[in-house]
Amino acid sequence: MNKRIPISLACVLLWCVPTVNADIFWNGNVNEDVFNEANWDLSASSVTTIEPNVSIEDNIQVGPGPFTFWPMVPDLSGQKRFQIGDGNVLNLISGDEMIDDFCLCYGMFVTEFNESVGGAPGSTNGPTVNVSEGFLFAPWFVVSDTTVNVASRGTAILGASGNPLSRSVVDLSPDAELAFMDESTDDFRTEHLSKITVSGVPAVEGSNLLVEEIFPGAMFVIGIPEPSSITLTLFGTLALLAFRRK
C-alpha cells in the first residue's frame, strides 16, 4: 500500500518543497553515471557536457521517471563534485512506483564514497537542492553554500564524518528526515544543529526537531515529528546504503 501523503494535500499544508522549471533532465538511458551525458537530455539547455567539478549552469531535474537507472556520482580518484552553478536548482522528484523495497523510496540520487554534491569552491550564492516527498538524496558531502530543502517524508542522508554539511544548510518540512551516517549526536549538536531549520525556523531540539541515535556511536537521525515512522524508514534506507558501499 502506498502510504505517502498525497502531493496535493502536502502542498495545501505548505509541506511541499517548491520546484523551478528545469532545462536539463535525467533519462538514465545507459547507466547510473551522472557524468555520462548519454544519461541526460540536454536538448533544452546550452550546457553540452556534465563533468566532475565543473559547474552546471542551468536548472536540473531528476524524476519522476520511470527510469531504468537512477543517478549516482561514481567513486572517482580524489574527491569529486556533482557541481551545480550559483543560483541554479536541482529538483529531485519522486515517481509513482517504489524503486527499492529496502529504502521505501520512490526516487534516488546518491554518491559513492567521498563524493559530493554542491556549488563551486568559494561560492557565496550557491545552488539549491529540492528533495521531494518519497525521494532519497544520499551524498557523502553537501558543499559550498548549498541549500537543501527536504519535503515532508523526503529523506536526506549524509555519509561522511567531520564536516558532511560543509558551508551549507538544510531546511526540513514537518515529517522530513535527515540522517548522518558517521557523526555522533554530540558532534551534531556542536557542529550542525545551527545549520538546520524547520519550515524556515531555526531548529530547536525537543521543540521542532527530534534528534535520535539509531546506531550506537555512529549514526543518528533528525526527524519531524513522528519518531516511529522515521525509525522505520531510516533503518531500511541505511541498510540499503551500507549494502551498496561494501
Short mmCIF file of all heavy atoms in Angstrom, two decimals, residues 131-171:
data_model
loop_
_atom_site.label_atom_id
_atom_site.label_comp_id
_atom_site.label_asym_id
_atom_site.label_seq_id
_atom_site.Cartn_x
_atom_site.Cartn_y
_atom_site.Cartn_z
N VAL A 131 14.37 18.25 -2.42
CA VAL A 131 14.13 16.82 -2.28
C VAL A 131 12.64 16.61 -2.02
O VAL A 131 12.12 17.05 -0.99
CB VAL A 131 14.95 16.23 -1.13
CG1 VAL A 131 14.75 14.71 -1.04
CG2 VAL A 131 16.44 16.57 -1.29
N SER A 132 11.95 15.95 -2.93
CA SER A 132 10.50 15.82 -2.81
C SER A 132 10.12 14.67 -1.88
O SER A 132 10.95 13.84 -1.49
CB SER A 132 9.87 15.60 -4.19
OG SER A 132 10.09 14.28 -4.63
N GLU A 133 8.85 14.63 -1.54
CA GLU A 133 8.29 13.54 -0.75
C GLU A 133 8.64 12.20 -1.38
O GLU A 133 8.48 12.00 -2.59
CB GLU A 133 6.76 13.69 -0.68
CG GLU A 133 6.04 12.55 0.00
CD GLU A 133 4.55 12.55 -0.28
OE1 GLU A 133 4.10 13.36 -1.10
OE2 GLU A 133 3.85 11.74 0.34
N GLY A 134 9.15 11.27 -0.57
CA GLY A 134 9.44 9.93 -1.05
C GLY A 134 10.77 9.76 -1.75
O GLY A 134 11.13 8.65 -2.14
N PHE A 135 11.55 10.84 -1.90
CA PHE A 135 12.83 10.78 -2.61
C PHE A 135 13.96 10.60 -1.61
O PHE A 135 13.95 11.17 -0.52
CB PHE A 135 13.06 12.05 -3.42
CG PHE A 135 14.01 11.88 -4.58
CD1 PHE A 135 13.53 11.72 -5.87
CD2 PHE A 135 15.39 11.85 -4.39
CE1 PHE A 135 14.39 11.55 -6.94
CE2 PHE A 135 16.26 11.68 -5.44
CZ PHE A 135 15.77 11.53 -6.73
N LEU A 136 14.98 9.81 -1.99
CA LEU A 136 16.19 9.63 -1.19
C LEU A 136 17.35 10.38 -1.84
O LEU A 136 17.74 10.07 -2.96
CB LEU A 136 16.54 8.14 -1.09
CG LEU A 136 17.94 7.83 -0.53
CD1 LEU A 136 18.07 8.31 0.92
CD2 LEU A 136 18.23 6.34 -0.63
N PHE A 137 17.89 11.36 -1.12
CA PHE A 137 19.08 12.10 -1.54
C PHE A 137 20.20 11.72 -0.59
O PHE A 137 20.12 12.00 0.60
CB PHE A 137 18.80 13.60 -1.49
CG PHE A 137 19.98 14.48 -1.80
CD1 PHE A 137 20.70 14.33 -2.97
CD2 PHE A 137 20.36 15.49 -0.91
CE1 PHE A 137 21.78 15.16 -3.26
CE2 PHE A 137 21.43 16.32 -1.19
CZ PHE A 137 22.14 16.15 -2.36
N ALA A 138 21.24 11.06 -1.11
CA ALA A 138 22.26 10.49 -0.22
C ALA A 138 23.67 10.77 -0.74
O ALA A 138 24.35 9.87 -1.24
CB ALA A 138 22.04 8.99 -0.06
N PRO A 139 24.14 12.00 -0.61
CA PRO A 139 25.53 12.30 -0.95
C PRO A 139 26.46 12.02 0.23
O PRO A 139 26.01 11.94 1.38
CB PRO A 139 25.48 13.81 -1.23
CG PRO A 139 24.43 14.30 -0.29
CD PRO A 139 23.39 13.20 -0.20
N TRP A 140 27.75 11.89 -0.06
CA TRP A 140 28.71 11.77 1.03
C TRP A 140 28.87 13.12 1.72
O TRP A 140 28.89 13.21 2.94
CB TRP A 140 30.04 11.28 0.46
CG TRP A 140 30.85 10.47 1.43
CD1 TRP A 140 31.94 10.90 2.13
CD2 TRP A 140 30.65 9.12 1.83
NE1 TRP A 140 32.43 9.90 2.92
CE2 TRP A 140 31.66 8.78 2.76
CE3 TRP A 140 29.71 8.14 1.48
CZ2 TRP A 140 31.76 7.53 3.34
CZ3 TRP A 140 29.81 6.89 2.06
CH2 TRP A 140 30.82 6.60 2.97
N PHE A 141 28.98 14.18 0.91
CA PHE A 141 29.06 15.56 1.40
C PHE A 141 28.08 16.44 0.64
O PHE A 141 27.80 16.19 -0.53
CB PHE A 141 30.46 16.16 1.17
CG PHE A 141 31.60 15.51 1.89
CD1 PHE A 141 32.29 14.47 1.30
CD2 PHE A 141 32.00 15.96 3.14
CE1 PHE A 141 33.37 13.87 1.94
CE2 PHE A 141 33.08 15.38 3.79
CZ PHE A 141 33.76 14.33 3.19
N VAL A 142 27.61 17.50 1.29
CA VAL A 142 26.98 18.64 0.62
C VAL A 142 27.89 19.84 0.89
O VAL A 142 28.25 20.10 2.04
CB VAL A 142 25.56 18.91 1.15
CG1 VAL A 142 25.01 20.21 0.58
CG2 VAL A 142 24.64 17.74 0.81
N VAL A 143 28.26 20.57 -0.17
CA VAL A 143 29.34 21.54 -0.03
C VAL A 143 29.00 22.89 -0.67
O VAL A 143 28.10 23.00 -1.50
CB VAL A 143 30.65 21.00 -0.67
CG1 VAL A 143 31.11 19.72 0.01
CG2 VAL A 143 30.47 20.76 -2.17
N SER A 144 29.75 23.90 -0.23
CA SER A 144 29.88 25.19 -0.91
C SER A 144 28.57 25.96 -1.05
O SER A 144 28.07 26.18 -2.15
CB SER A 144 30.54 25.00 -2.29
OG SER A 144 31.82 24.45 -2.15
N ASP A 145 28.04 26.36 0.11
CA ASP A 145 26.91 27.29 0.14
C ASP A 145 25.67 26.73 -0.54
O ASP A 145 24.93 27.44 -1.22
CB ASP A 145 27.30 28.63 -0.50
CG ASP A 145 26.41 29.77 -0.03
OD1 ASP A 145 26.19 29.89 1.18
OD2 ASP A 145 25.94 30.54 -0.89
N THR A 146 25.43 25.44 -0.33
CA THR A 146 24.25 24.79 -0.91
C THR A 146 23.13 24.75 0.12
O THR A 146 23.36 24.50 1.30
CB THR A 146 24.61 23.36 -1.35
OG1 THR A 146 25.61 23.42 -2.36
CG2 THR A 146 23.39 22.62 -1.88
N THR A 147 21.91 25.00 -0.35
CA THR A 147 20.71 24.86 0.48
C THR A 147 19.97 23.61 0.06
O THR A 147 19.65 23.45 -1.13
CB THR A 147 19.79 26.08 0.32
OG1 THR A 147 20.48 27.26 0.77
CG2 THR A 147 18.52 25.91 1.14
N VAL A 148 19.71 22.72 1.01
CA VAL A 148 18.94 21.50 0.73
C VAL A 148 17.58 21.64 1.41
O VAL A 148 17.51 21.79 2.63
CB VAL A 148 19.67 20.25 1.25
CG1 VAL A 148 18.84 19.00 0.96
CG2 VAL A 148 21.06 20.13 0.63
N ASN A 149 16.52 21.61 0.62
CA ASN A 149 15.15 21.64 1.14
C ASN A 149 14.57 20.23 1.05
O ASN A 149 14.50 19.66 -0.04
CB ASN A 149 14.28 22.60 0.32
CG ASN A 149 14.78 24.03 0.38
OD1 ASN A 149 15.11 24.54 1.44
ND2 ASN A 149 14.85 24.68 -0.78
N VAL A 150 14.15 19.69 2.18
CA VAL A 150 13.62 18.33 2.20
C VAL A 150 12.13 18.39 2.53
O VAL A 150 11.74 18.86 3.60
CB VAL A 150 14.36 17.44 3.23
CG1 VAL A 150 13.88 15.99 3.11
CG2 VAL A 150 15.87 17.53 3.03
N ALA A 151 11.31 17.89 1.61
CA ALA A 151 9.87 17.92 1.79
C ALA A 151 9.42 16.87 2.79
O ALA A 151 10.16 15.94 3.14
CB ALA A 151 9.17 17.67 0.45
N SER A 152 8.19 17.01 3.26
CA SER A 152 7.60 16.01 4.15
C SER A 152 7.78 14.62 3.56
O SER A 152 7.45 14.36 2.40
CB SER A 152 6.12 16.32 4.32
OG SER A 152 5.49 15.33 5.09
N ARG A 153 8.33 13.71 4.38
CA ARG A 153 8.60 12.33 4.01
C ARG A 153 9.63 12.18 2.90
O ARG A 153 9.75 11.11 2.30
CB ARG A 153 7.30 11.58 3.68
CG ARG A 153 6.32 11.61 4.86
CD ARG A 153 5.34 10.48 4.85
NE ARG A 153 4.44 10.60 5.99
CZ ARG A 153 3.63 9.64 6.40
NH1 ARG A 153 3.62 8.48 5.79
NH2 ARG A 153 2.84 9.82 7.44
N GLY A 154 10.37 13.22 2.63
CA GLY A 154 11.60 13.09 1.86
C GLY A 154 12.73 12.75 2.81
O GLY A 154 12.63 12.95 4.03
N THR A 155 13.84 12.23 2.26
CA THR A 155 14.96 11.79 3.10
C THR A 155 16.27 12.28 2.52
O THR A 155 16.53 12.13 1.33
CB THR A 155 15.00 10.25 3.19
OG1 THR A 155 13.78 9.77 3.74
CG2 THR A 155 16.16 9.79 4.06
N ALA A 156 17.12 12.85 3.39
CA ALA A 156 18.50 13.18 3.03
C ALA A 156 19.41 12.47 4.01
O ALA A 156 19.18 12.50 5.22
CB ALA A 156 18.73 14.69 3.08
N ILE A 157 20.45 11.81 3.48
CA ILE A 157 21.42 11.10 4.32
C ILE A 157 22.82 11.52 3.89
O ILE A 157 23.17 11.45 2.71
CB ILE A 157 21.26 9.57 4.17
CG1 ILE A 157 19.89 9.13 4.68
CG2 ILE A 157 22.36 8.85 4.94
CD1 ILE A 157 19.65 7.65 4.57
N LEU A 158 23.61 11.97 4.85
CA LEU A 158 24.98 12.40 4.59
C LEU A 158 25.93 11.34 5.14
O LEU A 158 25.85 10.96 6.30
CB LEU A 158 25.24 13.75 5.25
CG LEU A 158 24.25 14.87 4.88
CD1 LEU A 158 24.60 16.16 5.60
CD2 LEU A 158 24.23 15.09 3.37
N GLY A 159 26.86 10.87 4.29
CA GLY A 159 27.65 9.71 4.64
C GLY A 159 28.98 9.97 5.31
O GLY A 159 29.55 9.07 5.92
N ALA A 160 29.50 11.20 5.23
CA ALA A 160 30.87 11.46 5.68
C ALA A 160 30.92 11.82 7.16
O ALA A 160 29.94 12.21 7.77
CB ALA A 160 31.47 12.59 4.85
N SER A 161 32.12 11.71 7.71
CA SER A 161 32.39 12.21 9.05
C SER A 161 33.05 13.58 8.93
O SER A 161 33.41 14.02 7.85
CB SER A 161 33.31 11.25 9.81
OG SER A 161 34.56 11.14 9.13
N GLY A 162 33.23 14.24 10.07
CA GLY A 162 33.93 15.52 10.07
C GLY A 162 33.02 16.68 9.73
O GLY A 162 32.45 17.29 10.61
N ASN A 163 32.86 16.94 8.44
CA ASN A 163 32.04 18.08 8.03
C ASN A 163 31.21 17.72 6.80
O ASN A 163 31.43 18.27 5.71
CB ASN A 163 32.93 19.29 7.75
CG ASN A 163 32.13 20.59 7.69
OD1 ASN A 163 30.97 20.63 8.09
ND2 ASN A 163 32.75 21.64 7.19
N PRO A 164 30.26 16.79 6.94
CA PRO A 164 29.48 16.38 5.77
C PRO A 164 28.56 17.47 5.23
O PRO A 164 28.14 17.40 4.08
CB PRO A 164 28.67 15.20 6.30
CG PRO A 164 28.57 15.43 7.77
CD PRO A 164 29.87 16.08 8.16
N LEU A 165 28.26 18.46 6.06
CA LEU A 165 27.42 19.58 5.64
C LEU A 165 28.31 20.82 5.67
O LEU A 165 28.31 21.60 6.61
CB LEU A 165 26.23 19.72 6.58
CG LEU A 165 25.08 20.65 6.17
CD1 LEU A 165 24.51 20.24 4.82
CD2 LEU A 165 23.99 20.64 7.24
N SER A 166 29.10 20.98 4.61
CA SER A 166 30.18 21.96 4.59
C SER A 166 29.71 23.29 3.99
O SER A 166 29.37 23.36 2.82
CB SER A 166 31.35 21.41 3.77
OG SER A 166 32.38 22.35 3.66
N ARG A 167 29.69 24.32 4.84
CA ARG A 167 29.24 25.65 4.40
C ARG A 167 27.88 25.57 3.71
O ARG A 167 27.62 26.28 2.75
CB ARG A 167 30.26 26.31 3.48
CG ARG A 167 31.58 26.69 4.13
CD ARG A 167 32.51 27.43 3.16
NE ARG A 167 31.84 28.57 2.56
CZ ARG A 167 31.54 28.68 1.25
NH1 ARG A 167 31.85 27.71 0.42
NH2 ARG A 167 30.94 29.75 0.79
N SER A 168 27.01 24.73 4.22
CA SER A 168 25.71 24.51 3.61
C SER A 168 24.66 24.36 4.70
O SER A 168 24.99 24.22 5.88
CB SER A 168 25.74 23.26 2.71
OG SER A 168 26.66 23.43 1.64
N VAL A 169 23.39 24.40 4.29
CA VAL A 169 22.29 24.35 5.25
C VAL A 169 21.21 23.42 4.74
O VAL A 169 21.12 23.12 3.55
CB VAL A 169 21.70 25.76 5.50
CG1 VAL A 169 22.72 26.68 6.14
CG2 VAL A 169 21.17 26.37 4.20
N VAL A 170 20.37 22.96 5.69
CA VAL A 170 19.24 22.09 5.37
C VAL A 170 17.98 22.68 5.99
O VAL A 170 17.98 23.04 7.18
CB VAL A 170 19.45 20.66 5.89
CG1 VAL A 170 18.20 19.81 5.63
CG2 VAL A 170 20.67 20.02 5.23
N ASP A 171 16.91 22.75 5.20
CA ASP A 171 15.60 23.12 5.73
C ASP A 171 14.68 21.91 5.61
O ASP A 171 14.52 21.34 4.52
CB ASP A 171 14.99 24.29 4.97
CG ASP A 171 13.66 24.72 5.58
OD1 ASP A 171 13.68 25.28 6.69
OD2 ASP A 171 12.61 24.47 4.95
#
